[in-house]
Amino acid sequence: MDKKKAQIEIEKLIELINYHNWRYYVKDDPEISDQEFDDLIKRLEKLEKEFPQLSLPDSPTQRVGGVVLDEFKKYEHHVPMLSLTNSTDEDETRAFDERIKKFLNIKSDVEYMAEAKMDGLAVELVYKKGILSIGSTRGDGVTGEDVTENIKTVKSIPLRLLTKTPPDLLEVRGEVFMNLDDFNRLNEERVSQNKSLFANSRNAAAGSLRQLNSTITARRPLDFSAYGVGRFVGHSLKTHMEVLDHLEVLGFPMSSYHQKCKNIDEAISFYKRTAKTRDLIPYEIDGVVIKVNLLSFQEKLGTISKSPRWAIAYKFKARQATTVIEDIKVQVGRTGALTPVAFLKPVNIGGVVVRRASLHNQDEIDKKDIRIGDTVFVERAGDVIPYVVKVVNSRRSGNEKKFCIPDKCPMCGAHASKDADEAVLRCIGLNCPAKLKGALVHFASRNAMNIEGLGRKHISQLISNNILRSFSDLYRMKKDNLMNLERWGELSAQNLLEAIEKSKTRSLDRFIYALGIRHIGVHSAKVLMRHFKLLEKVIHATYQELTKIHEIGPVMAQAIVDFMGEKKNADEIRHLLRLGLKLESPAIQSSNLLDGKIFVLTGELENMSRAKAQAQLESHGARVAGSVSKNTDYVVVGAEPGSKLKVATKLGIKILTETEFLKFLSKK
Ligand code: IVH
């Protein structure tokens, strides 16, 4: 392709991708599938790689980050970013309206815009000729930090204005924030990675935007909402409402919680309504900003010290309160994670009676030195589980009791253990009631015992009717048990029992995988089977023996020893065997000629299914991975290979065609 043609296509692709990006992230109403969107991006990446001189600063391929800085450059705002005067009650808010009328010397109603006050961090986005050129934080209002690379990774921020006739210069102001669902997910992930937790969604947003490595920011679920402008060359808008509408047309995301109010009464009603529905809003808001709508009035009113006279932040009641921790108990989650929970003296926080607060894990308890009997600050945000901000040390009597999370599961009594790099303790009991549903779904799943017709719904029903209380109960079930239940007939009961019966002769590796031992996936289960051949040997394997096996690392070895060392688990496995499980180790033609080699398959093979190719490779000790990395040894390429081939070529990994692959196997 010649350069001219490439340039035209790149330009077209950018426009198209930006449009669909906006449909997806701003309008929440996509017109094309994710796959089609990815294909457009891939095409653009390909052209940009071929013609690097044609990459543009507003190319959507930059949204993945990649730039690493030593420090942020300072950025001076051309128009200072002001802060707002607060109001905490209705009287203060009415006084604000009175001041404005007096200043403007008018008696009639003043029109306002009332907007939800988002709790994130303020940023300014500079668009030159319609292209995002600088993104900065508010800083002290005069000087902020240049976080352009990070801003570009926020998917809902337009890299180019959605107009053919952009203004020469536009500075958009708004809030970078994190939705509460995303915030919770991020923190959950951090708990399991033993990383410190973000205290609230604002800290999470600020911490994510202020990363020197923009790749990290790109992975954080940040969002943006516009609420104003700095410099805006050549506009002829008359009201703040028109400014917001115009920003929306240019492609900016905007909170839907705003309203034009013909006087302060309407603005106050908006505040009251918003306060009531605060918990239903997907992100954290801490009040309502009331702004004079007419821009000419705003200008006349001007600023006093660092705040505009024309706006006020009417704050919600704090959602913090102090209360006493009466007890700390341990709850067991669906995955067996043990979570310490503080039982509080009930306290009303912003209209909700709070009785519990999550303490996350022992590390959090130790870091904040939380003890039973302590008086603590508790905060509640949106529908996030309330949490303890800190202990009020001055209220300590000396009778407070330290808490240490037990190493036994409070639900089933089995041991709880944690991975070396994790802060979370997990119950390892096979039959633990907290985990039973998930564990049985896994046990019956296709790669495990493959019990056809036994899905999550049936398992739920059987558990809630007390028919299943353990794994072995599956093999004790009788037709009558099922037929007494709703929605079961003779035939369906018969079919399920047959499927369960059939599962008794599954191979040993499937059974090992089905037990749901932490870190033991399909492949490691096969490795274990190949090595030990008999279940009994796996049960008695020592840590030293296990770590000697190629591909069984120390974390896996520990997980197996912990699991089998729990008497309740060993007993349950024996029950299963007594009920007739055979668990053979099929004598697969095997070797260890490919021990430890990593293969990736891409494209369609003509002469064998992927599953078969994988089985053959594994029978020689190789591992088949889902994606190419620098650790991959071989990539086998069939017809119409995907992007894996590209990556492999780039990394210089050995590539085998199907014919070469077959030859290769036949030699083993
Ligand atoms: S207007 C002069 N509107 O609140 C206008 N601010 O204390 C100043 N904020 O730093 C800002 N939502 O981070 C405005 N709808 C909204 C807002 C909002 C949140 C934040 C912003 C600012 C702080 C002011």
Side-chain angles (χ1 to χ4, degrees):
M1 178 183 283
D2 68 29
K3 195 170 152 197
K4 190 80 213 139
K5 267 199 186 142
Q7 185 166 17
I8 293 171
E9 191 180 343
I10 286 181
E11 185 52 43
K12 260 204 196 134
L13 278 167
I14 292 187
E15 198 163 312
L16 202 61
I17 293 170
N18 281 341
Y19 171 75
H20 288 300
N21 185 79
W22 171 74
R23 297 278 333 180
Y24 189 94
Y25 288 103
V26 181
K27 294 269 115 188
D28 207 5
D29 182 18
E31 281 175 354
I32 58 174
S33 68
D34 292 4
Q35 178 66 45
E36 285 167 293
F37 186 83
D38 289 347
D39 288 345
L40 291 174
I41 293 270
K42 276 189 201 138
R43 174 76 189 148
L44 178 59
E45 275 171 347
K46 182 162 182 267
L47 289 174
E48 288 180 344
K49 215 172 127 201
E50 231 171 283
F51 301 94
Q53 70 277 30
L54 296 180
S55 324
L56 295 176
D58 63 330
S59 167
T61 55
Q62 299 198 4
R63 290 206 186 269
V64 293
V67 177
V68 183
L69 303 174
D70 291 331
E71 57 174 3
F72 294 117
K73 277 193 298 199
K74 296 262 171 279
Y75 177 79
E76 198 153 320
H77 304 290
H78 289 262
V79 181
M81 292 182 77
L82 303 173
S83 53
L84 294 170
T85 315
N86 287 341
S87 149
T88 47
D89 61 30
E90 194 172 324
D91 288 347
E92 272 184 271
T93 308
R94 291 192 182 280
F96 157 76
D97 178 56
E98 291 302 326
R99 276 201 305 278
I100 285 175
K101 286 182 183 155
K102 198 164 163 211
F103 196 94
L104 294 172
N105 199 14
I106 52 175
K107 295 238 152 30
S108 55
D109 282 348
V110 175
E111 191 175 78
Y112 293 105
M113 273 302 284
E115 301 166 11
K117 183 173 185 299
M118 320 194 65
D119 203 9
L121 78 158
V123 297
E124 178 177 73
L125 314 172
V126 183
Y127 289 81
K128 291 186 181 154
K129 299 212 183 306
I131 309 282
L132 174 64
S133 64
I134 296 164
S136 60
T137 60
R138 175 176 180 272
D140 62 7
V142 177
T143 314
E145 283 173 326
D146 180 337
V147 287
T148 311
E149 295 306 328
N150 297 350
I151 284 289
K152 282 185 179 172
T153 69
V154 179
K155 309 283 188 300
S156 55
I157 292 182
L159 301 176
R160 174 189 287 202
L161 301 179
L162 274 187
T163 169
K164 292 248 181 303
T165 52
D168 279 348
L169 179 66
L170 167 66
E171 290 171 349
V172 176
R173 280 146 184 216
E175 201 86 347
V176 166
F177 66 97
M178 201 177 276
N179 275 312
L180 289 167
D181 275 351
D182 290 328
F183 161 68
N184 281 333
R185 232 172 281 134
L186 177 66
N187 254 358
E188 269 166 32
E189 198 184 298
R190 290 177 74 86
V191 169
S192 69
Q193 294 167 347
N194 206 7
K195 291 186 179 149
S196 62
L197 300 180
F198 290 116
N200 51 45
S201 61
R202 173 166 33 86
N203 289 4
S208 300
L209 191 68
R210 298 193 63 259
Q211 289 287 335
L212 291 165
N213 179 350
S214 60
T215 314
I216 299 180
T217 311
R219 286 196 217 113
R220 299 281 171 81
L222 293 174
D223 206 338
F224 175 75
S225 175
Y227 55 64
V229 291
R231 291 182 296 173
F232 187 174
V233 169
H235 81 82
S236 53
L237 304 169
K238 295 204 163 42
T239 63
H240 179 64
M241 169 98 174
E242 285 171 24
V243 171
L244 295 186
D245 288 346
H246 192 66
L247 290 178
E248 200 164 7
V249 171
L250 292 178
F252 290 95
M254 184 101 19
S255 150
S256 42
Y257 303 95
H258 65 218
Q259 187 191 296
K260 187 165 89 173
C261 304
K262 67 174 194 289
N263 53 30
I264 200 70
D265 292 329
E266 278 194 12
I268 290 169
S269 317
F270 176 84
Y271 168 91
K272 287 183 181 159
R273 247 182 299 125
T274 312
K276 268 200 202 122
T277 50
R278 187 177 174 192
D279 282 349
L280 303 174
I281 299 178
Y283 39 82
E284 180 66 359
I285 62 174
D286 60 349
V288 164
V289 184
I290 303 175
K291 303 173 180 173
V292 170
N293 195 25
L294 212 54
L295 298 182
S296 58
F297 276 0
Q298 288 190 3
E299 223 167 284
K300 267 194 211 156
L301 286 155
T303 60
I304 175 162
S305 71
K306 282 184 183 150
S307 313
R309 264 195 207 90
W310 46 265
I312 197 160
Y314 188 0
K315 302 278 286 247
F316 291 143
K317 301 264 171 305
R319 288 209 285 205
Q320 273 196 355
T322 51
T323 185
V324 175
I325 297 187
E326 293 180 330
D327 200 359
I328 298 179
K329 288 186 184 152
V330 175
Q331 287 183 347
V332 192
R334 262 186 307 116
T335 59
L338 268 50
T339 309
V341 174
F343 282 68
L344 308 167
K345 187 166 168 218
V347 58
N348 189 316
I349 311 182
V352 173
V353 179
V354 173
R355 298 166 197 278
R356 288 171 195 204
S358 170
L359 299 174
H360 301 295
N361 54 46
Q362 187 70 41
D363 286 1
E364 278 281 298
I365 297 178
D366 294 344
K367 238 186 279 167
K368 294 179 179 163
D369 188 21
I370 295 168
R371 303 180 191 180
I372 299 169
D374 264 337
T375 299
V376 289
F377 261 116
V378 178
E379 186 171 294
R380 181 177 78 81
D383 55 359
V384 180
I385 309 159
Y387 69 95
V388 173
V389 183
K390 62 173 184 185
V391 172
V392 185
N393 278 317
S394 57
R395 300 276 283 273
R396 278 234 165 117
S397 66
N399 295 329
E400 292 76 15
K401 274 203 300 248
K402 283 205 179 194
F403 173 83
C404 191
I405 194 164
D407 62 0
K408 281 229 167 81
C409 170
M411 289 285 278
C412 74
H415 277 89
S417 66
K418 63 179 166 187
D419 296 345
D421 57 347
E422 267 208 339
V424 186
L425 268 173
R426 281 173 212 278
C427 162
I428 56 166
L430 183 59
N431 283 334
C432 179
K435 299 193 294 183
L436 192 61
K437 187 153 107 194
L440 281 172
V441 171
H442 172 76
F443 186 80
S445 66
R446 189 163 330 152
N447 286 330
M449 299 301 267
N450 194 11
I451 305 179
E452 240 171 84
L454 186 63
R456 182 171 289 273
K457 251 204 213 137
H458 287 151
I459 290 174
S460 285
Q461 187 191 24
L462 294 168
I463 291 178
S464 54
N465 282 284
N466 251 337
I467 294 173
L468 287 184
R469 275 156 308 191
S470 66
F471 279 51
S472 48
D473 277 350
L474 261 182
Y475 297 93
R476 294 192 189 98
M477 256 186 338
K478 299 270 172 324
K479 215 193 233 169
D480 286 352
N481 294 136
L482 290 168
M483 289 188 42
N484 286 336
L485 301 178
E486 243 175 75
R487 297 190 302 274
W488 285 89
E490 167 107 34
L491 187 65
S492 53
Q494 181 67 33
N495 284 345
L496 179 63
L497 291 181
E498 274 170 22
I500 293 175
E501 189 61 30
K502 240 163 99 185
S503 76
K504 287 183 175 172
T505 51
R506 296 279 180 251
S507 52
L508 174 60
D509 58 327
R510 281 175 170 272
F511 180 73
I512 296 174
Y513 172 66
L515 291 174
I517 306 169
R518 231 172 123 62
H519 304 294
I520 303 302
V522 172
H523 180 70
S524 20
K526 278 195 182 127
V527 172
L528 290 168
M529 171 175 77
R530 223 178 286 133
H531 186 91
F532 291 107
K533 308 241 168 18
L534 294 173
L535 178 61
E536 209 47 41
K537 289 196 176 154
V538 183
I539 296 178
H540 293 114
T542 63
Y543 177 82
Q544 282 76 11
E545 255 178 282
L546 285 161
T547 40
K548 271 194 211 134
I549 306 173
H550 186 60
E551 288 195 278
I552 301 293
V555 176
M556 284 185 200
Q558 193 58 53
I560 297 166
V561 172
D562 284 350
F563 185 92
M564 297 298 182
E566 170 58 52
K567 186 171 176 300
K568 288 172 190 290
N569 292 350
D571 287 350
E572 179 64 5
I573 292 176
R574 288 214 165 78
H575 288 147
L576 284 165
L577 295 176
R578 241 174 268 134
L579 286 160
L581 264 72
K582 295 270 182 332
L583 313 176
E584 315 235 312
S585 307
I588 35 177
Q589 167 230 344
S590 69
S591 75
N592 45 15
L593 287 167
L594 294 176
D595 239 2
K597 292 274 181 274
I598 302 178
F599 280 71
V600 170
L601 308 174
T602 177
E604 206 159 320
L605 299 178
E606 247 173 58
N607 292 295
M608 65 171 87
S609 67
R610 264 193 197 215
K612 181 117 186 268
Q614 174 160 355
Q616 289 221 12
L617 284 167
E618 286 172 350
S619 72
H620 294 298
R623 189 158 76 78
V624 176
S627 61
V628 180
S629 75
K630 61 179 192 323
N631 297 327
T632 310
D633 294 294
Y634 295 94
V635 173
V636 179
V637 180
E640 292 179 41
S643 59
K644 292 174 192 163
L645 174 58
K646 251 196 298 184
V647 183
T649 322
K650 207 162 88 187
L651 294 174
I653 286 156
K654 183 115 187 70
I655 287 164
L656 297 175
T657 62
E658 183 167 352
T659 330
E660 286 168 334
F661 173 58
L662 292 175
K663 249 196 228 152
F664 183 90
L665 277 185
S666 66
K667 281 194 213 134
K668 299 290 157 198

